[in-house]
Amino acid sequence: LGATDGFPFAARGRVWSAKNDHARAVNDFSESLRREPGDASVLRDRGLGYYCQTKYELAVADLSESVRLEPSDNVAWNNYGAALYGLCQYARAAEALRESIRLNPDFPNPYKHLAWLQAICPDAAFRDGAGAVANATRALELADWKPVEWLSVLAAAHRENGDVAEAEKWESRRFVLENEDRGSFAVQAT
């Protein structure tokens, strides 16, 4: 293993990420970047690790550099938008999510994040019930209606759009599907 070879650390970081061990993932991504600074994909992945630990400022720093280095990376734009939302930078978050959609209109995640922003944003200027319903529906269609947690985004979108009955329908559907997956109807925290 060469002193400047960051690949093994990036690869191991991705394994830790897949196992939801984001602290270890960030450590390995950091070592990879120490050995090979400026790798846009590793910055993207470390940014996601920070995001998953709710370290939004660190996530935004990495992800803004990632999209600067690789402006065509729709996943980095999606993650950047989500992290900006975590910092309550709603206009910039919406802009980043729309850029992700522009780069790859078949990627479901930015539609989901944008729908969430439009449905529940604390700043009413960014809420848009009809847009939230359209984006949540598109996200679920692209993701083949999985994961079931995304049904809550659709429910929130319908609630923001003033359709409480439709919101309750989708929340009930989520509850049923989650409990079918668990093999019981016991109430569990999500």
Side-chain angles (χ1 to χ4, degrees), residues 61-115:
D62 276 359
L63 292 162
S64 65
E65 181 64 5
S66 179
V67 299
R68 186 190 70 76
L69 292 169
E70 187 56 61
S72 63
D73 184 344
N74 69 293
V75 175
W77 281 104
N78 171 71
N79 298 351
Y80 186 40
L84 287 164
Y85 181 87
L87 289 179
C88 304
Q89 295 182 18
Y90 307 123
R92 291 179 62 206
E95 182 180 304
L97 294 167
R98 287 187 177 104
E99 179 63 10
S100 179
I101 291 167
R102 186 191 70 76
L103 290 167
N104 183 356
D106 295 325
F107 182 48
N109 296 48
Y111 291 99
K112 187 239 341 176
H113 289 298
L114 187 56

Short mmCIF file of all heavy atoms in Angstrom, two decimals, residues 61-115:
data_model
loop_
_atom_site.label_atom_id
_atom_site.label_comp_id
_atom_site.label_asym_id
_atom_site.label_seq_id
_atom_site.Cartn_x
_atom_site.Cartn_y
_atom_site.Cartn_z
N ALA A 61 -19.69 21.63 3.68
CA ALA A 61 -18.33 21.98 3.24
C ALA A 61 -17.82 20.95 2.23
O ALA A 61 -17.30 21.31 1.17
CB ALA A 61 -17.40 22.08 4.44
N ASP A 62 -17.94 19.66 2.56
CA ASP A 62 -17.47 18.62 1.65
C ASP A 62 -18.28 18.57 0.36
O ASP A 62 -17.73 18.44 -0.73
CB ASP A 62 -17.54 17.24 2.32
CG ASP A 62 -16.33 16.93 3.17
OD1 ASP A 62 -15.40 17.77 3.25
OD2 ASP A 62 -16.29 15.83 3.75
N LEU A 63 -19.58 18.67 0.49
CA LEU A 63 -20.44 18.52 -0.68
C LEU A 63 -20.35 19.73 -1.61
O LEU A 63 -20.43 19.58 -2.83
CB LEU A 63 -21.87 18.24 -0.24
CG LEU A 63 -22.03 16.86 0.42
CD1 LEU A 63 -23.32 16.79 1.22
CD2 LEU A 63 -21.97 15.76 -0.63
N SER A 64 -20.16 20.92 -1.06
CA SER A 64 -19.99 22.08 -1.94
C SER A 64 -18.69 21.95 -2.73
O SER A 64 -18.65 22.30 -3.92
CB SER A 64 -20.03 23.39 -1.15
OG SER A 64 -18.93 23.49 -0.27
N GLU A 65 -17.65 21.42 -2.11
CA GLU A 65 -16.40 21.19 -2.83
C GLU A 65 -16.56 20.07 -3.86
O GLU A 65 -16.04 20.14 -4.96
CB GLU A 65 -15.26 20.88 -1.85
CG GLU A 65 -13.92 20.65 -2.50
CD GLU A 65 -13.34 21.88 -3.22
OE1 GLU A 65 -13.93 22.98 -3.16
OE2 GLU A 65 -12.29 21.73 -3.86
N SER A 66 -17.31 19.05 -3.51
CA SER A 66 -17.55 17.93 -4.43
C SER A 66 -18.26 18.41 -5.69
O SER A 66 -17.85 18.06 -6.81
CB SER A 66 -18.36 16.84 -3.73
OG SER A 66 -18.61 15.77 -4.62
N VAL A 67 -19.32 19.20 -5.54
CA VAL A 67 -20.04 19.67 -6.73
C VAL A 67 -19.24 20.71 -7.51
O VAL A 67 -19.40 20.84 -8.72
CB VAL A 67 -21.48 20.18 -6.42
CG1 VAL A 67 -22.33 19.07 -5.82
CG2 VAL A 67 -21.47 21.40 -5.53
N ARG A 68 -18.34 21.43 -6.82
CA ARG A 68 -17.45 22.35 -7.54
C ARG A 68 -16.49 21.55 -8.43
O ARG A 68 -16.26 21.89 -9.58
CB ARG A 68 -16.66 23.22 -6.57
CG ARG A 68 -15.83 24.30 -7.27
CD ARG A 68 -14.88 25.01 -6.31
NE ARG A 68 -13.79 24.16 -5.87
CZ ARG A 68 -12.71 23.83 -6.62
NH1 ARG A 68 -12.59 24.28 -7.85
NH2 ARG A 68 -11.76 23.07 -6.11
N LEU A 69 -15.95 20.46 -7.87
CA LEU A 69 -14.99 19.64 -8.62
C LEU A 69 -15.66 18.79 -9.69
O LEU A 69 -15.07 18.52 -10.73
CB LEU A 69 -14.22 18.73 -7.65
CG LEU A 69 -13.27 19.42 -6.69
CD1 LEU A 69 -12.80 18.44 -5.62
CD2 LEU A 69 -12.09 20.03 -7.44
N GLU A 70 -16.88 18.34 -9.42
CA GLU A 70 -17.59 17.44 -10.34
C GLU A 70 -19.04 17.91 -10.46
O GLU A 70 -19.96 17.32 -9.87
CB GLU A 70 -17.52 16.00 -9.84
CG GLU A 70 -18.09 14.97 -10.79
CD GLU A 70 -17.45 15.02 -12.17
OE1 GLU A 70 -16.24 14.81 -12.28
OE2 GLU A 70 -18.19 15.29 -13.14
N PRO A 71 -19.27 18.99 -11.23
CA PRO A 71 -20.61 19.59 -11.28
C PRO A 71 -21.67 18.72 -11.94
O PRO A 71 -22.86 19.04 -11.84
CB PRO A 71 -20.39 20.89 -12.06
CG PRO A 71 -19.10 20.72 -12.78
CD PRO A 71 -18.28 19.74 -11.99
N SER A 72 -21.30 17.61 -12.55
CA SER A 72 -22.30 16.74 -13.18
C SER A 72 -22.72 15.57 -12.28
O SER A 72 -23.49 14.71 -12.71
CB SER A 72 -21.76 16.19 -14.51
OG SER A 72 -20.62 15.38 -14.27
N ASP A 73 -22.26 15.56 -11.02
CA ASP A 73 -22.59 14.46 -10.10
C ASP A 73 -23.93 14.73 -9.43
O ASP A 73 -24.02 15.46 -8.45
CB ASP A 73 -21.48 14.31 -9.06
CG ASP A 73 -21.68 13.14 -8.12
OD1 ASP A 73 -22.81 12.59 -8.04
OD2 ASP A 73 -20.71 12.77 -7.43
N ASN A 74 -24.98 14.13 -9.98
CA ASN A 74 -26.33 14.38 -9.46
C ASN A 74 -26.51 13.89 -8.03
O ASN A 74 -27.27 14.48 -7.25
CB ASN A 74 -27.40 13.77 -10.37
CG ASN A 74 -27.38 12.27 -10.35
OD1 ASN A 74 -26.44 11.64 -10.81
ND2 ASN A 74 -28.42 11.67 -9.81
N VAL A 75 -25.81 12.83 -7.63
CA VAL A 75 -25.92 12.33 -6.26
C VAL A 75 -25.32 13.35 -5.29
O VAL A 75 -25.90 13.62 -4.22
CB VAL A 75 -25.25 10.95 -6.12
CG1 VAL A 75 -25.25 10.48 -4.67
CG2 VAL A 75 -25.96 9.93 -7.00
N ALA A 76 -24.19 13.94 -5.65
CA ALA A 76 -23.59 14.97 -4.80
C ALA A 76 -24.52 16.17 -4.66
O ALA A 76 -24.68 16.71 -3.56
CB ALA A 76 -22.23 15.39 -5.36
N TRP A 77 -25.17 16.57 -5.75
CA TRP A 77 -26.12 17.69 -5.68
C TRP A 77 -27.29 17.33 -4.76
O TRP A 77 -27.76 18.17 -3.98
CB TRP A 77 -26.62 18.07 -7.07
CG TRP A 77 -25.66 18.91 -7.84
CD1 TRP A 77 -24.85 18.51 -8.86
CD2 TRP A 77 -25.38 20.30 -7.63
NE1 TRP A 77 -24.10 19.56 -9.31
CE2 TRP A 77 -24.41 20.69 -8.57
CE3 TRP A 77 -25.88 21.25 -6.75
CZ2 TRP A 77 -23.92 21.98 -8.65
CZ3 TRP A 77 -25.39 22.55 -6.83
CH2 TRP A 77 -24.42 22.90 -7.76
N ASN A 78 -27.79 16.11 -4.85
CA ASN A 78 -28.88 15.67 -3.97
C ASN A 78 -28.45 15.75 -2.51
O ASN A 78 -29.16 16.30 -1.67
CB ASN A 78 -29.30 14.24 -4.33
CG ASN A 78 -30.26 13.67 -3.32
OD1 ASN A 78 -31.41 14.07 -3.25
ND2 ASN A 78 -29.77 12.75 -2.50
N ASN A 79 -27.28 15.19 -2.21
CA ASN A 79 -26.80 15.17 -0.83
C ASN A 79 -26.53 16.60 -0.33
O ASN A 79 -26.80 16.92 0.83
CB ASN A 79 -25.55 14.32 -0.72
CG ASN A 79 -25.79 12.87 -1.09
OD1 ASN A 79 -26.93 12.43 -1.26
ND2 ASN A 79 -24.73 12.11 -1.23
N TYR A 80 -26.02 17.44 -1.22
CA TYR A 80 -25.77 18.84 -0.89
C TYR A 80 -27.09 19.53 -0.52
O TYR A 80 -27.18 20.25 0.48
CB TYR A 80 -25.10 19.50 -2.09
CG TYR A 80 -24.64 20.93 -1.92
CD1 TYR A 80 -24.04 21.37 -0.74
CD2 TYR A 80 -24.76 21.83 -2.96
CE1 TYR A 80 -23.59 22.69 -0.62
CE2 TYR A 80 -24.32 23.13 -2.85
CZ TYR A 80 -23.74 23.56 -1.68
OH TYR A 80 -23.30 24.86 -1.56
N GLY A 81 -28.12 19.30 -1.32
CA GLY A 81 -29.43 19.88 -1.02
C GLY A 81 -29.98 19.43 0.32
O GLY A 81 -30.51 20.23 1.09
N ALA A 82 -29.83 18.14 0.60
CA ALA A 82 -30.32 17.62 1.88
C ALA A 82 -29.56 18.24 3.05
O ALA A 82 -30.15 18.60 4.08
CB ALA A 82 -30.20 16.10 1.90
N ALA A 83 -28.24 18.39 2.90
CA ALA A 83 -27.44 18.98 3.97
C ALA A 83 -27.77 20.46 4.16
O ALA A 83 -27.83 20.95 5.29
CB ALA A 83 -25.96 18.79 3.68
N LEU A 84 -27.98 21.17 3.06
CA LEU A 84 -28.37 22.58 3.16
C LEU A 84 -29.71 22.73 3.89
O LEU A 84 -29.89 23.65 4.69
CB LEU A 84 -28.44 23.21 1.77
CG LEU A 84 -27.10 23.47 1.10
CD1 LEU A 84 -27.27 23.73 -0.39
CD2 LEU A 84 -26.38 24.65 1.78
N TYR A 85 -30.63 21.80 3.63
CA TYR A 85 -31.90 21.82 4.34
C TYR A 85 -31.64 21.66 5.85
O TYR A 85 -32.27 22.34 6.67
CB TYR A 85 -32.83 20.71 3.84
CG TYR A 85 -34.17 20.71 4.53
CD1 TYR A 85 -35.21 21.51 4.06
CD2 TYR A 85 -34.40 19.94 5.67
CE1 TYR A 85 -36.44 21.53 4.70
CE2 TYR A 85 -35.62 19.96 6.31
CZ TYR A 85 -36.64 20.75 5.83
OH TYR A 85 -37.85 20.78 6.48
N GLY A 86 -30.71 20.79 6.20
CA GLY A 86 -30.36 20.59 7.61
C GLY A 86 -29.84 21.87 8.26
O GLY A 86 -29.98 22.05 9.48
N LEU A 87 -29.24 22.76 7.46
CA LEU A 87 -28.77 24.05 7.98
C LEU A 87 -29.81 25.16 7.83
O LEU A 87 -29.51 26.33 8.05
CB LEU A 87 -27.49 24.47 7.23
CG LEU A 87 -26.23 23.67 7.55
CD1 LEU A 87 -25.06 24.19 6.72
CD2 LEU A 87 -25.89 23.73 9.03
N CYS A 88 -31.03 24.79 7.44
CA CYS A 88 -32.13 25.74 7.25
C CYS A 88 -31.85 26.74 6.13
O CYS A 88 -32.38 27.86 6.13
CB CYS A 88 -32.47 26.47 8.55
SG CYS A 88 -32.85 25.36 9.92
N GLN A 89 -31.06 26.34 5.16
CA GLN A 89 -30.78 27.17 3.99
C GLN A 89 -31.69 26.68 2.87
O GLN A 89 -31.26 26.02 1.92
CB GLN A 89 -29.30 27.09 3.62
CG GLN A 89 -28.41 27.69 4.70
CD GLN A 89 -26.94 27.66 4.32
OE1 GLN A 89 -26.58 27.51 3.16
NE2 GLN A 89 -26.09 27.80 5.33
N TYR A 90 -32.97 27.01 3.00
CA TYR A 90 -34.00 26.40 2.17
C TYR A 90 -33.91 26.77 0.69
O TYR A 90 -34.09 25.91 -0.17
CB TYR A 90 -35.38 26.74 2.73
CG TYR A 90 -35.51 26.39 4.19
CD1 TYR A 90 -35.85 27.35 5.13
CD2 TYR A 90 -35.24 25.09 4.64
CE1 TYR A 90 -35.95 27.03 6.48
CE2 TYR A 90 -35.33 24.77 5.98
CZ TYR A 90 -35.68 25.74 6.89
OH TYR A 90 -35.77 25.42 8.22
N ALA A 91 -33.61 28.02 0.38
CA ALA A 91 -33.51 28.42 -1.02
C ALA A 91 -32.36 27.69 -1.71
O ALA A 91 -32.52 27.15 -2.82
CB ALA A 91 -33.34 29.93 -1.14
N ARG A 92 -31.22 27.64 -1.05
CA ARG A 92 -30.07 26.93 -1.62
C ARG A 92 -30.34 25.44 -1.71
O ARG A 92 -29.91 24.78 -2.66
CB ARG A 92 -28.81 27.22 -0.81
CG ARG A 92 -28.34 28.66 -0.95
CD ARG A 92 -27.11 28.96 -0.12
NE ARG A 92 -25.98 28.14 -0.55
CZ ARG A 92 -24.97 27.80 0.24
NH1 ARG A 92 -24.93 28.21 1.49
NH2 ARG A 92 -23.98 27.06 -0.22
N ALA A 93 -31.04 24.89 -0.72
CA ALA A 93 -31.38 23.46 -0.74
C ALA A 93 -32.25 23.14 -1.94
O ALA A 93 -31.98 22.18 -2.68
CB ALA A 93 -32.09 23.05 0.56
N ALA A 94 -33.29 23.93 -2.15
CA ALA A 94 -34.19 23.69 -3.29
C ALA A 94 -33.43 23.82 -4.61
O ALA A 94 -33.64 23.01 -5.52
CB ALA A 94 -35.36 24.68 -3.24
N GLU A 95 -32.55 24.78 -4.69
CA GLU A 95 -31.75 24.97 -5.92
C GLU A 95 -30.86 23.74 -6.18
O GLU A 95 -30.78 23.26 -7.31
CB GLU A 95 -30.89 26.23 -5.74
CG GLU A 95 -30.04 26.58 -6.93
CD GLU A 95 -29.23 27.84 -6.64
OE1 GLU A 95 -29.83 28.88 -6.30
OE2 GLU A 95 -27.99 27.77 -6.73
N ALA A 96 -30.21 23.24 -5.16
CA ALA A 96 -29.34 22.06 -5.31
C ALA A 96 -30.15 20.83 -5.70
O ALA A 96 -29.74 20.04 -6.57
CB ALA A 96 -28.56 21.80 -4.02
N LEU A 97 -31.31 20.66 -5.09
CA LEU A 97 -32.15 19.50 -5.41
C LEU A 97 -32.66 19.59 -6.85
O LEU A 97 -32.70 18.58 -7.57
CB LEU A 97 -33.31 19.40 -4.42
CG LEU A 97 -32.87 19.10 -2.98
CD1 LEU A 97 -34.01 19.32 -2.01
CD2 LEU A 97 -32.28 17.69 -2.86
N ARG A 98 -33.02 20.77 -7.27
CA ARG A 98 -33.47 20.94 -8.67
C ARG A 98 -32.33 20.69 -9.65
O ARG A 98 -32.56 20.16 -10.75
CB ARG A 98 -34.08 22.33 -8.86
CG ARG A 98 -35.45 22.45 -8.20
CD ARG A 98 -36.14 23.78 -8.52
NE ARG A 98 -37.45 23.78 -7.93
CZ ARG A 98 -37.77 24.45 -6.81
NH1 ARG A 98 -36.87 25.19 -6.20
NH2 ARG A 98 -39.01 24.40 -6.33
N GLU A 99 -31.11 21.02 -9.27
CA GLU A 99 -29.96 20.73 -10.13
C GLU A 99 -29.75 19.22 -10.22
O GLU A 99 -29.47 18.69 -11.30
CB GLU A 99 -28.69 21.41 -9.60
CG GLU A 99 -27.45 21.15 -10.42
CD GLU A 99 -27.50 21.66 -11.85
OE1 GLU A 99 -28.44 22.42 -12.22
OE2 GLU A 99 -26.61 21.30 -12.64
N SER A 100 -29.92 18.51 -9.12
CA SER A 100 -29.81 17.05 -9.16
C SER A 100 -30.85 16.46 -10.10
O SER A 100 -30.54 15.56 -10.91
CB SER A 100 -29.98 16.46 -7.75
OG SER A 100 -29.90 15.06 -7.78
N ILE A 101 -32.07 16.96 -10.02
CA ILE A 101 -33.14 16.49 -10.90
C ILE A 101 -32.82 16.81 -12.36
O ILE A 101 -33.00 15.98 -13.25
CB ILE A 101 -34.50 17.09 -10.48
CG1 ILE A 101 -34.94 16.50 -9.13
CG2 ILE A 101 -35.56 16.89 -11.55
CD1 ILE A 101 -36.09 17.24 -8.47
N ARG A 102 -32.31 18.02 -12.60
CA ARG A 102 -31.96 18.40 -13.98
C ARG A 102 -30.89 17.45 -14.54
O ARG A 102 -30.97 17.02 -15.69
CB ARG A 102 -31.44 19.84 -14.02
CG ARG A 102 -31.20 20.35 -15.44
CD ARG A 102 -30.44 21.68 -15.45
NE ARG A 102 -29.06 21.55 -15.03
CZ ARG A 102 -28.08 21.05 -15.78
NH1 ARG A 102 -28.32 20.59 -16.99
NH2 ARG A 102 -26.84 21.00 -15.32
N LEU A 103 -29.91 17.11 -13.71
CA LEU A 103 -28.83 16.24 -14.17
C LEU A 103 -29.28 14.80 -14.40
O LEU A 103 -28.76 14.12 -15.29
CB LEU A 103 -27.67 16.26 -13.17
CG LEU A 103 -26.90 17.57 -13.11
CD1 LEU A 103 -26.00 17.61 -11.88
CD2 LEU A 103 -26.10 17.77 -14.39
N ASN A 104 -30.22 14.33 -13.59
CA ASN A 104 -30.72 12.96 -13.76
C ASN A 104 -32.18 12.91 -13.32
O ASN A 104 -32.47 12.64 -12.15
CB ASN A 104 -29.89 11.95 -12.96
CG ASN A 104 -30.34 10.53 -13.17
OD1 ASN A 104 -31.34 10.27 -13.85
ND2 ASN A 104 -29.64 9.58 -12.59
N PRO A 105 -33.10 13.13 -14.24
CA PRO A 105 -34.52 13.15 -13.89
C PRO A 105 -35.08 11.80 -13.48
O PRO A 105 -36.23 11.73 -13.03
CB PRO A 105 -35.21 13.68 -15.15
CG PRO A 105 -34.20 13.69 -16.23
CD PRO A 105 -32.85 13.51 -15.62
N ASP A 106 -34.29 10.74 -13.57
CA ASP A 106 -34.75 9.41 -13.17
C ASP A 106 -34.23 8.99 -11.80
O ASP A 106 -34.43 7.84 -11.38
CB ASP A 106 -34.34 8.37 -14.22
CG ASP A 106 -35.02 8.62 -15.55
OD1 ASP A 106 -36.19 9.06 -15.55
OD2 ASP A 106 -34.38 8.39 -16.59
N PHE A 107 -33.58 9.88 -11.08
CA PHE A 107 -33.06 9.61 -9.73
C PHE A 107 -34.11 10.05 -8.73
O PHE A 107 -34.45 11.25 -8.67
CB PHE A 107 -31.73 10.34 -9.54
CG PHE A 107 -31.05 10.11 -8.23
CD1 PHE A 107 -30.88 8.84 -7.71
CD2 PHE A 107 -30.56 11.18 -7.50
CE1 PHE A 107 -30.23 8.63 -6.49
CE2 PHE A 107 -29.91 11.00 -6.30
CZ PHE A 107 -29.75 9.72 -5.78
N PRO A 108 -34.66 9.16 -7.91
CA PRO A 108 -35.81 9.51 -7.07
C PRO A 108 -35.50 10.39 -5.86
O PRO A 108 -36.35 11.16 -5.42
CB PRO A 108 -36.35 8.15 -6.61
CG PRO A 108 -35.19 7.22 -6.70
CD PRO A 108 -34.34 7.72 -7.84
N ASN A 109 -34.30 10.31 -5.31
CA ASN A 109 -34.03 10.96 -4.03
C ASN A 109 -34.25 12.46 -4.00
O ASN A 109 -34.85 12.97 -3.04
CB ASN A 109 -32.62 10.60 -3.57
CG ASN A 109 -32.46 9.14 -3.29
OD1 ASN A 109 -32.86 8.30 -4.11
ND2 ASN A 109 -31.87 8.80 -2.17
N PRO A 110 -33.81 13.22 -5.01
CA PRO A 110 -34.04 14.67 -4.90
C PRO A 110 -35.52 15.05 -4.98
O PRO A 110 -35.93 16.04 -4.38
CB PRO A 110 -33.24 15.26 -6.08
CG PRO A 110 -33.07 14.13 -7.03
CD PRO A 110 -33.02 12.89 -6.19
N TYR A 111 -36.31 14.26 -5.68
CA TYR A 111 -37.76 14.51 -5.69
C TYR A 111 -38.32 14.35 -4.27
O TYR A 111 -39.15 15.14 -3.83
CB TYR A 111 -38.48 13.55 -6.62
CG TYR A 111 -38.20 13.74 -8.09
CD1 TYR A 111 -37.28 12.93 -8.74
CD2 TYR A 111 -38.88 14.70 -8.83
CE1 TYR A 111 -37.04 13.08 -10.10
CE2 TYR A 111 -38.65 14.86 -10.18
CZ TYR A 111 -37.72 14.05 -10.81
OH TYR A 111 -37.47 14.20 -12.16
N LYS A 112 -37.86 13.30 -3.58
CA LYS A 112 -38.32 13.06 -2.21
C LYS A 112 -37.91 14.20 -1.29
O LYS A 112 -38.72 14.73 -0.52
CB LYS A 112 -37.76 11.73 -1.68
CG LYS A 112 -38.33 11.34 -0.34
CD LYS A 112 -37.42 11.13 0.81
CE LYS A 112 -35.97 10.88 0.62
NZ LYS A 112 -35.24 10.80 1.88
N HIS A 113 -36.63 14.61 -1.37
CA HIS A 113 -36.17 15.70 -0.51
C HIS A 113 -36.88 17.01 -0.83
O HIS A 113 -37.24 17.76 0.09
CB HIS A 113 -34.65 15.88 -0.66
CG HIS A 113 -33.84 14.79 -0.05
ND1 HIS A 113 -33.86 14.50 1.29
CD2 HIS A 113 -32.98 13.91 -0.61
CE1 HIS A 113 -33.05 13.50 1.54
NE2 HIS A 113 -32.50 13.11 0.39
N LEU A 114 -37.09 17.29 -2.11
CA LEU A 114 -37.77 18.52 -2.49
C LEU A 114 -39.23 18.48 -2.02
O LEU A 114 -39.76 19.49 -1.52
CB LEU A 114 -37.68 18.73 -4.00
CG LEU A 114 -38.21 20.07 -4.53
CD1 LEU A 114 -37.53 21.25 -3.86
CD2 LEU A 114 -38.01 20.13 -6.05
N ALA A 115 -39.88 17.33 -2.14
CA ALA A 115 -41.26 17.19 -1.66
C ALA A 115 -41.32 17.45 -0.15
O ALA A 115 -42.24 18.13 0.33
CB ALA A 115 -41.79 15.80 -1.98
#
